[in-house]
């Protein structure tokens, strides 16, 4: 009897593990989840409970091992079977043309060389060893010959497969060494740094440092709490597989369960490589993670072997780096700006400089502590960086350039705009203006409310909002819905056509998804990600309004700070009144389940060319309402390319990689119009 119970239990645990591995693969590798996060978490909790109750059933391959293992005293080191080489760098087209020329010369051919090109992530290179399909060792690059063993830490990264699966009849190699870049996305980085500031811990300087620091933790439970991700890009020693090219290898790796960057461009010639570089230069700041260039690899393995490597780097690969995004300049002044939650942010005025193609004359200094920590004075020469975020920041002072005439900066004792008093909240490094009617706060709140990712009111940009607030025409969110063509046409540089377009955009914005609506309210600590979590949890605005602090705290990804902030927001009469006033204008907050269950559920669409019946913003909104997502570029994950008139290069790309191309009429049919 006991035996049959044990075998039934073992089967339940094994089934749960298999199911969780499968869903992990669908979520991280295919970007096509089959179950909700809540369902996944429920299964994981069930497995954790069973493994806790029956410790004999625990196993290092279990998906539960992602929560971390007992802490280590130190890291062991391990020799890489094949050295983990670096890449030679190129900085302009001529360097890449020369690289191509050299390869042809070494191979003794005039034929076009076929390359695979991929984004170069700014993260930490790691090697993973799989023996008979099980992850046995993960190690950092170290000096390229020996690395540090970080297996328990690597196991906590959800997009790292713990067990390989034989899909599409690909045999599981007895030994497989796979290499990839561990990184932290920008959203995760911001959230982590906010949490650290809230706990009086120093923030990480950039996502790369945060990824490296998180991976080198002796306690893997800390690593497990960090939002690390990975894209795999290559191999070391592999047995049992007959691999002929880099691209074929990546396809096989993807089928075995490894996550690939969807932007990898396969089998292109030199011109394709140069075009791809330009595409990524355009796209880089829209990506959710930092990249610092493009990696170009000769695709054929027989050519790679013929070309060989130096002791430092392979002759068949090169990194084409993006232009520097750091430059030095001088701080001419420091101004204090007031944000939508009243936070006072010091901003450096700079002598204008060109950083990676953009003119920069302002940089955020974050807060008073940050100015003190970096010891920034007015008149200093500083290193300025335009990083992932569009807001440039001061990295450090170039002390050797000091003349002694630099001036120390002091934060004002009151709000620089409305002169109300300012307070410093205990957990925050910031000062805050206490007057919620402060014109600076009103302007910033309305800008946020109308912005692309909130109500998405095309044409109601920052300058216009400022004019409208200054003229006393906008005091609250609801005032936006009173704007008419006559009022708008009185403003500077506003023709009747523009006024009409704005009024139309305001009208169109009245249909809004719950996630966008919650984000638009500008609740402290509720960014786009948290708003999405709240929307998918509560499904309707009525449910969200009725939530208690305990309901909020119970949501995965919503900590006590966010829960308190949401509860405080709704406790304030003025906020409730502001929401009632918005809703009274005929706003429809779409139930989130409509979005999730829409005709384009989980579909990825890319738009090219001009559409006849809707603007791009409208198309995007309609697609999102139907549960789809609009991406900026065509990749193998794209479900449909919607081609309007005069389509761009995306059409050829979609055609080349076999993405389904549809016209606007078909899109309307899919949207159920
Ligand atoms: N995407 C990518 N990054 N990266 C880094 N591929 C790639 N390949 C590398 C490195 C160091 O090296 C191999 C070409 C040896």
């Amino acid at each position: 009897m006991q035996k049959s119970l044990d075998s039934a239990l073992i089967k339940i645990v094994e089934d749960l593990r298999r199911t969780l591995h499968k869903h992990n693969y669908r979520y991280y590798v295919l970007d096509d989840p089959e179950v909700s996060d809540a369902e996944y978490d429920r299964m994981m909790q069930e497995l954790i409970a069973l493994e806790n109750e029956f410790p004999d059933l625990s196993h290092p391959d279990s998906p539960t091992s992602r929560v971390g293992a007992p802490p280590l005293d130190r890291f062991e080191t391990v020799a890489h079977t094949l050295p983990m080489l670096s890449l030679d760098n190129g900085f302009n087209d001529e360097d890449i043309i020369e690289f191509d020329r050299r390869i042809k010369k070494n191979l003794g051919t005039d034929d076009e060389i076929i390359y695979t090109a991929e984004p170069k992530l700014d993260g930490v290179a790691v090697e993973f060893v799989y023996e008979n399909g099980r992850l046995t060792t993960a190690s950092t690059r170290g000096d390229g010959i020996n690395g540090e063993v970080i297996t328990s830490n690597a196991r906590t990264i959800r997009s790292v497969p713990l067990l390989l699966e034989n899909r599409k009849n690909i045999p599981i190699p007895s030994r497989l060494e796979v290499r990839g870049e561990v990184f932290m996305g920008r959203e995760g980085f911001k959230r982590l740094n906010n949490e650290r500031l809230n706990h009086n811990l120093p923030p990480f300087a950039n996502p790369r440092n945060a990824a490296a620091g998180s991976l080198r933790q002796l306690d893997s439970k800390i690593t497990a709490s960090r939002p690390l991700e990975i894209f795999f890009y290559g191999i070391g020693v592999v047995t049992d597989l007959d691999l002929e090219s880099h691209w074929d290898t990546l396809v096989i790796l993807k089928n075995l369960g490894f996550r690939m960057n969807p932007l990898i461009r396969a089998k292109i010639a030199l011109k394709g490589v140069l075009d791809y570089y330009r595409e990524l230069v355009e796209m880089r700041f829209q990506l959710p993670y930092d990249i610092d260039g493009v990696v170009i690899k000769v695709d054929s393995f027989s050519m790679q072997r013929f070309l060989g490597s130096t002791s430092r780097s392979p002759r068949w690969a090169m990194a084409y780096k993006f232009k520097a995004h750091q430059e030095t300049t001088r701080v001419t002044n420091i101004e204090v700006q007031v944000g939508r939650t009243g936070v006072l942010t010091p901003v450096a005025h700079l002598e204008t400089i060109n950083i990676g193609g953009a003119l920069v004359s302002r940089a955020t200094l974050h807060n008073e502590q940050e100015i003190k920590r970096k010891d920034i004075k007015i008149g200093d020469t500083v290193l300025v960086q335009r990083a992932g975020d569009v807001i440039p920041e001061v990295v450090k002072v170039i002390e050797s350039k000091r003349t002694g005439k630099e001036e120390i900066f002091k934060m004002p004792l009151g709000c620089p705009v409305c002169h109300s008093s300012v307070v410093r909240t205990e957990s925050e490094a910031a000062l805050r203006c206490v007057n919620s009617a402060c014109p600076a706060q009103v302007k910033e709140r309305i800008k946020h409310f109308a912005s692309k990712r909130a109500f998405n009111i095309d044409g109601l940009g920052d300058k216009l909002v400022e004019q409208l607030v200054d003229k006393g025409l906008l005091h609250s969110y609801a005032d936006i819905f009173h704007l008419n063509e006559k009022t708008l046409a009185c403003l500077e540089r506003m023709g009747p056509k523009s006024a009409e377009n704005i009024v139309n955009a305001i009208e169109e914005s009245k249909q809004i998804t719950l996630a966008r609506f919650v984000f638009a309210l500008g609740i402290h600590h509720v960014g786009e990600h948290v708003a999405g979590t709240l929307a998918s949890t509560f499904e309707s605005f009525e449910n969200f309004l009725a939530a208690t602090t305990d309901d909020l705290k119970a949501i995965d990804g919503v900590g006590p700070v966010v829960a308190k902030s949401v509860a405080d927001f709704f406790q304030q009469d003025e906020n409730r009144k502001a929401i009632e006033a918005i809703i009274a204008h005929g706003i429809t907050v779409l139930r989130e389940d409509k979005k999730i269950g829409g005709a384009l559920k989980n579909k990825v669409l890319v738009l090219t060319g001009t559409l006849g019946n809707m603007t791009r913003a409208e198309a995007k909104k309609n697609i999102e309402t139907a549960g789809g997502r609009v991406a900026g570029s065509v990749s193998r994950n794209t479900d449909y390319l919607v081609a309007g008139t005069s389509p761009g290069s995306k059409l050829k790309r979609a055609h080349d990689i076999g993405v389904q191309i549809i016209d606007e009429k078909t899109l309307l049919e899919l949207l159920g119009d």
Side-chain angles (χ1 to χ4, degrees):
M1 187 64 199
Q2 183 59 37
K3 188 159 188 322
S4 76
L5 178 71
D6 285 349
S7 63
L9 187 65
I10 290 168
K11 184 168 178 328
I12 291 171
V13 167
E14 282 176 351
D15 282 352
L16 268 173
R17 283 186 189 148
R18 203 172 314 112
T19 310
L20 283 162
H21 280 306
K22 182 185 91 174
H23 290 311
N24 228 38
Y25 172 73
R26 293 206 65 101
Y27 187 90
Y28 288 105
V29 183
L30 300 185
D31 196 10
D32 183 19
E34 258 177 357
V35 292
S36 66
D37 292 356
E39 176 70 358
Y40 181 91
D41 289 343
R42 193 193 56 69
M43 287 190 272
M44 180 68 92
Q45 290 311 322
E46 194 179 331
L47 182 57
I48 291 172
L50 284 169
E51 288 181 359
N52 281 344
E53 198 170 338
F54 305 100
D56 286 353
L57 292 178
S58 296
H59 194 280
D61 296 339
S62 171
T64 57
S65 67
R66 299 200 189 275
V67 295
L72 305 172
D73 296 329
R74 62 186 183 86
F75 293 113
E76 303 285 331
T77 56
V78 65
H80 302 296
T81 323
L82 295 177
M84 288 184 78
L85 298 176
S86 313
L87 290 163
D88 280 342
N89 291 327
F91 298 97
N92 51 46
D93 280 7
E94 192 42 54
D95 291 343
I96 306 306
I97 294 166
E98 177 52 33
F99 166 70
D100 180 70
R101 222 180 270 142
R102 214 165 40 233
I103 285 173
K104 283 183 180 153
K105 187 168 161 238
N106 283 344
L107 292 173
T109 180
D110 283 334
D111 292 347
E112 266 189 347
I113 305 295
I114 300 301
Y115 298 99
T116 291
E118 40 203 272
K120 184 172 182 306
L121 269 102
D122 203 4
V124 184
V126 174
E127 179 169 76
F128 299 80
V129 179
Y130 289 81
E131 289 169 275
N132 300 313
R134 293 185 50 227
L135 173 62
T136 51
T137 314
S139 54
T140 58
R141 177 179 180 277
D143 61 6
I145 307 293
N146 297 297
E148 282 179 327
V149 176
I150 47 142
T151 315
S152 318
N153 293 352
R155 279 181 194 284
T156 68
I157 304 172
R158 289 181 185 270
S159 36
V160 169
L162 302 176
L163 279 177
L164 304 185
E165 205 164 304
N166 174 336
R167 292 183 192 89
K168 303 206 175 155
N169 266 338
I170 297 166
I172 303 287
S174 58
R175 185 175 181 90
L176 171 63
E177 298 175 0
V178 192
R179 293 164 180 190
E181 196 86 355
V182 172
F183 63 97
M184 195 175 285
R186 287 195 202 114
E187 269 293 313
F189 169 70
K190 260 196 225 156
R191 245 181 295 141
L192 174 62
N193 265 357
N194 280 341
E195 276 168 27
R196 289 178 70 82
L197 285 171
N198 281 344
H199 290 92
N200 284 327
L201 292 167
F204 287 108
N206 53 49
R208 209 208 79 82
N209 288 5
S214 302
L215 210 50
R216 286 196 78 266
Q217 292 289 333
L218 290 168
D219 182 354
S220 56
K221 290 200 173 55
I222 298 180
T223 312
S225 72
R226 302 282 171 82
L228 291 174
E229 298 182 50
I230 187 163
F231 282 127
F232 294 89
Y233 62 68
I235 50 171
V237 167
V238 180
T239 61
D240 314 308
L241 292 176
D242 201 10
L243 303 170
E244 291 189 353
S245 76
H246 178 60
W247 174 248
D248 294 350
T249 304
L250 296 185
V251 172
I252 288 176
L253 289 178
K254 180 164 175 173
N255 282 316
L256 284 172
F258 295 98
R259 184 180 187 223
M260 296 292 145
N261 191 316
L263 298 174
I264 297 178
R265 183 76 45 92
K267 302 199 188 271
I268 44 176
L270 175 64
K271 179 172 179 313
V273 168
L274 300 178
D275 288 346
Y276 177 71
Y277 175 84
R278 273 178 258 293
E279 273 178 50
L280 285 195
V281 166
E282 284 296 309
M283 203 193 275
R284 66 182 289 207
F285 293 119
Q286 266 85 56
L287 295 177
Y289 46 81
D290 285 355
I291 59 173
D292 59 359
V294 165
V295 183
I296 305 153
K297 296 173 186 169
V298 172
D299 195 52
S300 149
F301 279 171
S302 61
M303 285 187 185
Q304 286 189 7
R305 280 191 291 272
F306 191 89
L307 292 161
S309 306
T310 66
S311 61
R312 214 189 78 87
S313 53
R315 292 194 189 86
W316 43 266
M318 182 149 215
Y320 187 176
K321 299 285 287 248
F322 294 142
K323 306 258 175 310
H325 56 137
Q326 288 189 339
E327 293 291 343
T328 50
T329 185
R330 220 174 64 85
V331 176
T332 55
N333 194 10
I334 296 178
E335 174 204 19
V336 175
Q337 291 182 350
V338 184
R340 73 185 146 87
T341 55
V343 169
L344 271 50
T345 305
V347 173
H349 288 211
L350 306 168
E351 281 175 2
T352 306
I353 29 147
N354 186 323
I355 310 185
L359 292 180
V360 172
S361 52
R362 299 274 190 281
T364 178
L365 298 172
H366 299 291
N367 54 51
E368 200 178 4
Q369 274 91 322
E370 194 73 353
I371 296 180
K372 277 206 186 111
R373 194 172 67 81
K374 292 181 180 163
D375 189 25
I376 299 166
K377 297 180 183 164
I378 298 168
D380 264 334
T381 299
V382 289
L383 186 67
V384 177
Q385 161 168 291
R386 208 179 126 226
D389 268 327
V390 277
I391 306 172
E393 62 175 0
V394 170
V395 180
K396 64 173 185 178
V397 171
I398 314 289
E399 288 199 28
S400 58
K401 298 261 171 149
R402 283 220 164 127
T403 60
K405 292 192 182 142
E406 293 76 17
E407 286 168 47
I408 293 177
F409 167 78
K410 282 220 158 51
M411 284 295 271
L413 299 173
C415 172
V417 176
C418 70
H419 310 293
S420 305
S421 49
V422 292
V423 291
R424 190 185 299 278
T425 43
E426 227 172 75
S427 59
E428 288 172 305
L431 290 175
R432 189 186 294 272
C433 159
V434 295
N435 172 19
S436 65
C438 167
Q441 287 191 45
V442 172
K443 281 178 189 170
E444 295 309 313
R445 279 202 296 271
I446 296 179
K447 284 179 197 172
H448 172 80
F449 185 87
S451 68
K452 249 193 171 37
R453 283 154 24 191
F455 265 69
N456 190 19
I457 304 176
D458 233 11
L460 191 56
D462 292 359
K463 289 271 169 297
L464 192 59
V465 171
E466 282 174 19
Q467 256 197 81
L468 288 163
V469 175
D470 286 340
K471 287 190 185 302
L473 294 167
L474 275 188
H475 304 92
S476 66
Y477 300 142
D479 288 346
I480 294 175
F481 302 99
H482 286 295
L483 289 174
N484 57 38
E485 286 157 39
K486 210 168 133 220
T487 325
L488 287 168
C490 300
L491 299 172
E492 286 162 32
R493 290 189 295 275
M494 173 73 64
K497 184 69 197 156
S498 305
E500 185 190 330
N501 287 344
I502 293 172
V503 172
N504 288 341
I506 292 172
E507 203 48 42
E508 281 159 20
S509 76
K510 290 183 175 176
Q511 294 256 329
I512 186 164
T513 60
L514 177 57
R516 278 171 175 269
F517 186 74
V518 173
F519 176 61
L521 296 177
I523 305 170
H524 199 31
H525 296 302
V526 179
E528 227 177 345
H529 179 82
V530 173
T533 307
L534 294 170
S536 52
T537 307
F538 294 109
E539 294 185 359
S540 74
F541 192 60
E542 294 69 32
N543 293 345
F544 178 44
L545 265 185
T548 63
T549 314
D550 284 342
D551 294 337
L552 292 162
K553 268 197 235 162
I555 302 169
D556 198 15
V558 177
V561 177
V562 176
K564 181 172 180 317
S565 175
V566 172
D568 287 352
F569 180 88
F570 286 114
Q571 227 140 58
Q572 288 175 38
D573 229 22
E574 58 178 320
N575 291 333
R576 283 191 173 260
K577 282 194 182 129
I579 292 166
E580 276 163 26
I582 304 167
I583 303 273
H585 282 279
I587 308 292
T588 315
V589 183
L590 302 171
R591 280 182 64 91
E592 204 64 16
D593 55 355
K594 251 195 208 168
K595 181 183 162 199
I596 291 166
L600 292 175
K601 180 184 170 190
N602 293 334
K603 296 279 185 242
V604 180
L605 288 87
V606 175
L607 308 173
T608 183
T610 311
L611 302 176
N613 291 298
M614 47 190 150
T615 62
R616 284 221 170 183
E618 286 160 359
K620 186 166 184 287
K621 196 154 71 182
N622 292 337
I623 290 167
E624 285 172 356
T625 307
R629 186 164 69 79
V630 175
S633 65
V634 175
S635 75
R636 285 183 166 73
N637 282 343
T638 309
D639 292 294
Y640 301 112
L641 177 78
V642 184
T645 48
S646 313
S649 60
K650 291 175 192 168
L651 183 63
K652 179 172 181 314
R653 166 100 180 115
H655 183 261
D656 288 351
I657 62 170
V659 167
Q660 191 176 348
I661 299 162
I662 59 172
D663 58 11
E664 190 178 352
K665 188 165 153 272
T666 315
L667 173 65
L668 288 170
E669 281 163 16
L670 288 171
L671 291 170
D673 198 23

